[in-house]
Amino acid sequence: MKSLIAALSVFALSATVSAGETKENAHDMVFKALDKDQNGTVEMQEATDKGLTEEVFKKLDVDSDGKLTAEEFAKLAKEDANGLLG
């Protein structure tokens, strides 16, 4: 799980967030940055192109359909914010 948190931290640091932005907005920005083709999902290739490992991608892909949805990403972000990961 530490590698998952570390990977997400890299993405979070790459998203420029002003002081007034909420965590939800920051996670949305990170998701949109991962979604290179802007189709509303992040496929494995898009994620690995941005440095996410296949192992971490599979952990995020809750329904194992080969795509990350905004909902899957948001759920993980919420769990991380509540200290449930790691």
Side-chain angles (χ1 to χ4, degrees), residues 24-37:
E24 290 80 17
N25 288 345
H27 292 134
D28 187 48
M29 289 173 61
V30 172
F31 182 82
K32 286 180 180 178
L34 290 171
D35 185 13
K36 187 176 179 180
D37 63 9

Side-chain angles (χ1 to χ4, degrees), residues 1-13 51-52 56 80 85:
M1 250 338 145
K2 289 183 181 183
S3 64
L4 173 62
I5 294 169
L8 291 176
S9 295
V10 170
F11 295 121
L13 290 173
L52 197 68
V56 171
D80 187 36
L85 299 178

Side-chain angles (χ1 to χ4, degrees), residues 60-75:
L60 292 171
D61 185 16
V62 177
D63 61 6
S64 300
D65 67 351
K67 301 178 225 174
L68 298 181
T69 63
E71 291 79 18
E72 288 170 321
F73 193 78
K75 180 181 179 198

Side-chain angles (χ1 to χ4, degrees), residues 38-52:
Q38 300 298 300
N39 69 349
T41 62
V42 176
E43 288 79 22
M44 173 113 38
Q45 187 65 48
E46 290 172 312
T48 56
D49 285 352
K50 296 282 187 172
L52 197 68

